[in-house]
Amino acid sequence: MKFKALIIIAITAVLFISCSDNKEEQPQQQSDQAPHGSMASESHEVTVEEILQANAYTYLRVNENGKEDWIAITKNQSIEEGQTIYYADAMEMKNFHSEDLDRDFESVWFVQTVSDQPLTQGWSNGWSHASRKCKTRSGSINLGCTC
């Protein structure tokens, strides 16, 4: 009987110690991120406030619930100020210098997935491209599809 009690106490102690160790590691892992940037995969709904065209990218100053950010997407002439767009799969670059624009950005998010329709999860990297439409065929904005 005493042996069973000791085994139960030992197992409980091991579980308690291992659970408390995981909690301490999480903040430490966050502080080990690269100093030049971070990744984000959640979906964002933003309003375009400013557009800067460069050779390969279109830089957009966007607003999401009162928070302003700069995002960069593959060159796109069809986006307009005031338009609502959706994006996911972005990598942040801090203190980024654009040679084309000869401009420094404190922070810019390079976006992989962008659409004029809400994004849904399910594509191989987590977000569906099915909502992209071509302006020439449906009157919608061309956000990266091939028409």
mmCIF file of all heavy atoms in Angstrom, residues 47-53 58-63 68-71 79-82 103 105:
data_model
loop_
_atom_site.group_PDB
_atom_site.id
_atom_site.type_symbol
_atom_site.label_atom_id
_atom_site.label_comp_id
_atom_site.label_asym_id
_atom_site.label_seq_id
_atom_site.Cartn_x
_atom_site.Cartn_y
_atom_site.Cartn_z
ATOM 1 N N THR A 47 -7.821 48.290 -44.428
ATOM 2 C CA THR A 47 -8.214 49.327 -45.381
ATOM 3 C C THR A 47 -6.952 49.985 -45.898
ATOM 4 O O THR A 47 -6.084 50.379 -45.113
ATOM 5 C CB THR A 47 -9.122 50.365 -44.706
ATOM 6 O OG1 THR A 47 -10.259 49.689 -44.158
ATOM 7 C CG2 THR A 47 -9.580 51.418 -45.696
ATOM 8 N N VAL A 48 -6.840 50.117 -47.210
ATOM 9 C CA VAL A 48 -5.669 50.729 -47.839
ATOM 10 C C VAL A 48 -5.760 52.248 -47.688
ATOM 11 O O VAL A 48 -6.756 52.853 -48.080
ATOM 12 C CB VAL A 48 -5.582 50.343 -49.333
ATOM 13 C CG1 VAL A 48 -4.401 51.035 -49.999
ATOM 14 C CG2 VAL A 48 -5.498 48.834 -49.485
ATOM 15 N N GLU A 49 -4.716 52.846 -47.108
ATOM 16 C CA GLU A 49 -4.704 54.294 -46.905
ATOM 17 C C GLU A 49 -3.721 55.023 -47.817
ATOM 18 O O GLU A 49 -3.915 56.188 -48.121
ATOM 19 C CB GLU A 49 -4.398 54.608 -45.440
ATOM 20 C CG GLU A 49 -5.496 54.115 -44.520
ATOM 21 C CD GLU A 49 -5.342 54.582 -43.091
ATOM 22 O OE1 GLU A 49 -4.245 55.033 -42.710
ATOM 23 O OE2 GLU A 49 -6.338 54.475 -42.354
ATOM 24 N N GLU A 50 -2.655 54.334 -48.245
ATOM 25 C CA GLU A 50 -1.660 54.954 -49.121
ATOM 26 C C GLU A 50 -1.013 53.861 -49.968
ATOM 27 O O GLU A 50 -0.832 52.737 -49.506
ATOM 28 C CB GLU A 50 -0.595 55.661 -48.281
ATOM 29 C CG GLU A 50 0.450 56.400 -49.068
ATOM 30 C CD GLU A 50 1.474 57.117 -48.187
ATOM 31 O OE1 GLU A 50 1.299 57.172 -46.952
ATOM 32 O OE2 GLU A 50 2.461 57.608 -48.756
ATOM 33 N N ILE A 51 -0.671 54.204 -51.200
ATOM 34 C CA ILE A 51 -0.083 53.243 -52.135
ATOM 35 C C ILE A 51 1.205 53.828 -52.692
ATOM 36 O O ILE A 51 1.228 54.972 -53.160
ATOM 37 C CB ILE A 51 -1.051 52.940 -53.302
ATOM 38 C CG1 ILE A 51 -2.375 52.385 -52.769
ATOM 39 C CG2 ILE A 51 -0.407 51.980 -54.298
ATOM 40 C CD1 ILE A 51 -3.476 52.324 -53.800
ATOM 41 N N LEU A 52 2.279 53.044 -52.641
ATOM 42 C CA LEU A 52 3.552 53.424 -53.248
ATOM 43 C C LEU A 52 3.947 52.309 -54.211
ATOM 44 O O LEU A 52 4.084 51.152 -53.808
ATOM 45 C CB LEU A 52 4.644 53.601 -52.192
ATOM 46 C CG LEU A 52 4.408 54.662 -51.115
ATOM 47 C CD1 LEU A 52 5.526 54.619 -50.084
ATOM 48 C CD2 LEU A 52 4.313 56.045 -51.744
ATOM 49 N N GLN A 53 4.138 52.643 -55.487
ATOM 50 C CA GLN A 53 4.520 51.657 -56.486
ATOM 51 C C GLN A 53 6.039 51.641 -56.630
ATOM 52 O O GLN A 53 6.665 52.682 -56.776
ATOM 53 C CB GLN A 53 3.883 51.981 -57.848
ATOM 54 C CG GLN A 53 2.372 51.903 -57.855
ATOM 55 C CD GLN A 53 1.826 50.492 -57.709
ATOM 56 O OE1 GLN A 53 2.548 49.495 -57.773
ATOM 57 N NE2 GLN A 53 0.517 50.399 -57.523
ATOM 58 N N THR A 58 4.331 46.533 -54.619
ATOM 59 C CA THR A 58 3.435 47.626 -54.292
ATOM 60 C C THR A 58 3.411 47.713 -52.778
ATOM 61 O O THR A 58 3.128 46.716 -52.107
ATOM 62 C CB THR A 58 2.018 47.371 -54.842
ATOM 63 O OG1 THR A 58 2.087 47.290 -56.263
ATOM 64 C CG2 THR A 58 1.064 48.472 -54.437
ATOM 65 N N TYR A 59 3.757 48.869 -52.246
ATOM 66 C CA TYR A 59 3.766 49.089 -50.800
ATOM 67 C C TYR A 59 2.464 49.770 -50.423
ATOM 68 O O TYR A 59 2.069 50.760 -51.051
ATOM 69 C CB TYR A 59 4.958 49.959 -50.388
ATOM 70 C CG TYR A 59 6.287 49.275 -50.600
ATOM 71 C CD1 TYR A 59 6.925 49.306 -51.840
ATOM 72 C CD2 TYR A 59 6.891 48.582 -49.563
ATOM 73 C CE1 TYR A 59 8.133 48.669 -52.037
ATOM 74 C CE2 TYR A 59 8.112 47.937 -49.756
ATOM 75 C CZ TYR A 59 8.728 47.990 -50.999
ATOM 76 O OH TYR A 59 9.922 47.353 -51.186
ATOM 77 N N LEU A 60 1.806 49.231 -49.407
ATOM 78 C CA LEU A 60 0.508 49.745 -48.975
ATOM 79 C C LEU A 60 0.561 50.112 -47.500
ATOM 80 O O LEU A 60 0.954 49.290 -46.673
ATOM 81 C CB LEU A 60 -0.579 48.684 -49.178
ATOM 82 C CG LEU A 60 -0.709 48.067 -50.575
ATOM 83 C CD1 LEU A 60 -1.660 46.886 -50.545
ATOM 84 C CD2 LEU A 60 -1.163 49.109 -51.576
ATOM 85 N N ARG A 61 0.174 51.349 -47.198
ATOM 86 C CA ARG A 61 -0.026 51.717 -45.792
ATOM 87 C C ARG A 61 -1.467 51.363 -45.510
ATOM 88 O O ARG A 61 -2.389 51.853 -46.165
ATOM 89 C CB ARG A 61 0.236 53.198 -45.549
ATOM 90 C CG ARG A 61 0.111 53.579 -44.059
ATOM 91 C CD ARG A 61 0.585 54.999 -43.796
ATOM 92 N NE ARG A 61 -0.037 55.989 -44.634
ATOM 93 C CZ ARG A 61 -1.191 56.602 -44.372
ATOM 94 N NH1 ARG A 61 -1.862 56.324 -43.268
ATOM 95 N NH2 ARG A 61 -1.678 57.506 -45.213
ATOM 96 N N VAL A 62 -1.661 50.448 -44.551
ATOM 97 C CA VAL A 62 -2.990 49.919 -44.268
ATOM 98 C C VAL A 62 -3.375 50.176 -42.819
ATOM 99 O O VAL A 62 -2.521 50.400 -41.958
ATOM 100 C CB VAL A 62 -3.071 48.401 -44.572
ATOM 101 C CG1 VAL A 62 -2.824 48.134 -46.051
ATOM 102 C CG2 VAL A 62 -2.094 47.610 -43.726
ATOM 103 N N ASN A 63 -4.670 50.138 -42.580
ATOM 104 C CA ASN A 63 -5.207 50.346 -41.245
ATOM 105 C C ASN A 63 -6.076 49.150 -40.885
ATOM 106 O O ASN A 63 -6.970 48.772 -41.641
ATOM 107 C CB ASN A 63 -6.037 51.636 -41.209
ATOM 108 C CG ASN A 63 -6.505 51.978 -39.820
ATOM 109 O OD1 ASN A 63 -7.075 51.159 -39.113
ATOM 110 N ND2 ASN A 63 -6.270 53.215 -39.426
ATOM 111 N N GLU A 68 -1.958 51.167 -37.786
ATOM 112 C CA GLU A 68 -1.390 51.313 -39.125
ATOM 113 C C GLU A 68 -0.136 50.464 -39.287
ATOM 114 O O GLU A 68 0.675 50.362 -38.380
ATOM 115 C CB GLU A 68 -1.052 52.771 -39.407
ATOM 116 C CG GLU A 68 -2.272 53.616 -39.642
ATOM 117 C CD GLU A 68 -1.924 55.001 -40.150
ATOM 118 O OE1 GLU A 68 -0.733 55.354 -40.229
ATOM 119 O OE2 GLU A 68 -2.869 55.739 -40.481
ATOM 120 N N ASP A 69 -0.008 49.853 -40.468
ATOM 121 C CA ASP A 69 1.159 49.062 -40.835
ATOM 122 C C ASP A 69 1.452 49.312 -42.306
ATOM 123 O O ASP A 69 0.572 49.737 -43.067
ATOM 124 C CB ASP A 69 0.894 47.548 -40.660
ATOM 125 C CG ASP A 69 1.005 47.083 -39.229
ATOM 126 O OD1 ASP A 69 2.014 47.402 -38.574
ATOM 127 O OD2 ASP A 69 0.080 46.384 -38.770
ATOM 128 N N TRP A 70 2.667 49.026 -42.707
ATOM 129 C CA TRP A 70 3.033 48.975 -44.121
ATOM 130 C C TRP A 70 3.114 47.509 -44.516
ATOM 131 O O TRP A 70 3.691 46.700 -43.790
ATOM 132 C CB TRP A 70 4.385 49.639 -44.369
ATOM 133 C CG TRP A 70 4.303 51.119 -44.421
ATOM 134 C CD1 TRP A 70 4.570 51.993 -43.407
ATOM 135 C CD2 TRP A 70 3.929 51.916 -45.551
ATOM 136 N NE1 TRP A 70 4.377 53.280 -43.838
ATOM 137 C CE2 TRP A 70 3.996 53.261 -45.154
ATOM 138 C CE3 TRP A 70 3.560 51.615 -46.861
ATOM 139 C CZ2 TRP A 70 3.688 54.314 -46.011
ATOM 140 C CZ3 TRP A 70 3.254 52.667 -47.720
ATOM 141 C CH2 TRP A 70 3.316 53.996 -47.291
ATOM 142 N N ILE A 71 2.516 47.174 -45.662
ATOM 143 C CA ILE A 71 2.658 45.835 -46.210
ATOM 144 C C ILE A 71 3.190 45.971 -47.639
ATOM 145 O O ILE A 71 3.002 47.002 -48.285
ATOM 146 C CB ILE A 71 1.343 45.026 -46.183
ATOM 147 C CG1 ILE A 71 0.278 45.628 -47.104
ATOM 148 C CG2 ILE A 71 0.828 44.882 -44.762
ATOM 149 C CD1 ILE A 71 -0.971 44.758 -47.254
ATOM 150 N N ILE A 79 -5.081 48.044 -57.106
ATOM 151 C CA ILE A 79 -5.544 48.363 -55.752
ATOM 152 C C ILE A 79 -5.731 49.876 -55.635
ATOM 153 O O ILE A 79 -4.944 50.654 -56.171
ATOM 154 C CB ILE A 79 -4.554 47.835 -54.703
ATOM 155 C CG1 ILE A 79 -4.590 46.311 -54.718
ATOM 156 C CG2 ILE A 79 -4.883 48.366 -53.316
ATOM 157 C CD1 ILE A 79 -3.705 45.666 -53.702
ATOM 158 N N GLU A 80 -6.765 50.284 -54.926
ATOM 159 C CA GLU A 80 -7.075 51.706 -54.776
ATOM 160 C C GLU A 80 -7.124 52.088 -53.306
ATOM 161 O O GLU A 80 -7.454 51.261 -52.441
ATOM 162 C CB GLU A 80 -8.426 52.006 -55.423
ATOM 163 C CG GLU A 80 -8.470 51.707 -56.909
ATOM 164 C CD GLU A 80 -9.856 51.885 -57.504
ATOM 165 O OE1 GLU A 80 -10.806 52.184 -56.744
ATOM 166 O OE2 GLU A 80 -9.985 51.723 -58.728
ATOM 167 N N GLU A 81 -6.822 53.363 -53.030
ATOM 168 C CA GLU A 81 -6.942 53.871 -51.658
ATOM 169 C C GLU A 81 -8.398 53.760 -51.226
ATOM 170 O O GLU A 81 -9.316 53.980 -52.012
ATOM 171 C CB GLU A 81 -6.462 55.319 -51.585
ATOM 172 C CG GLU A 81 -4.968 55.441 -51.730
ATOM 173 C CD GLU A 81 -4.479 56.878 -51.621
ATOM 174 O OE1 GLU A 81 -5.254 57.769 -51.218
ATOM 175 O OE2 GLU A 81 -3.296 57.098 -51.944
ATOM 176 N N GLY A 82 -8.601 53.391 -49.960
ATOM 177 C CA GLY A 82 -9.944 53.216 -49.419
ATOM 178 C C GLY A 82 -10.486 51.808 -49.576
ATOM 179 O O GLY A 82 -11.495 51.452 -48.965
ATOM 180 N N ARG A 103 13.671 54.774 -49.596
ATOM 181 C CA ARG A 103 12.898 55.081 -48.391
ATOM 182 C C ARG A 103 13.144 54.018 -47.334
ATOM 183 O O ARG A 103 13.274 52.840 -47.650
ATOM 184 C CB ARG A 103 11.412 55.131 -48.748
ATOM 185 C CG ARG A 103 10.538 55.410 -47.546
ATOM 186 C CD ARG A 103 9.095 55.521 -47.931
ATOM 187 N NE ARG A 103 8.297 55.647 -46.741
ATOM 188 C CZ ARG A 103 7.142 56.246 -46.701
ATOM 189 N NH1 ARG A 103 6.637 56.774 -47.794
ATOM 190 N NH2 ARG A 103 6.463 56.310 -45.582
ATOM 191 N N PHE A 105 11.669 52.065 -44.021
ATOM 192 C CA PHE A 105 10.437 51.709 -43.306
ATOM 193 C C PHE A 105 10.849 51.176 -41.943
ATOM 194 O O PHE A 105 11.704 50.282 -41.859
ATOM 195 C CB PHE A 105 9.661 50.622 -44.049
ATOM 196 C CG PHE A 105 9.091 51.068 -45.366
ATOM 197 C CD1 PHE A 105 9.826 50.931 -46.539
ATOM 198 C CD2 PHE A 105 7.824 51.608 -45.432
ATOM 199 C CE1 PHE A 105 9.306 51.320 -47.753
ATOM 200 C CE2 PHE A 105 7.292 52.009 -46.656
ATOM 201 C CZ PHE A 105 8.040 51.866 -47.817
#
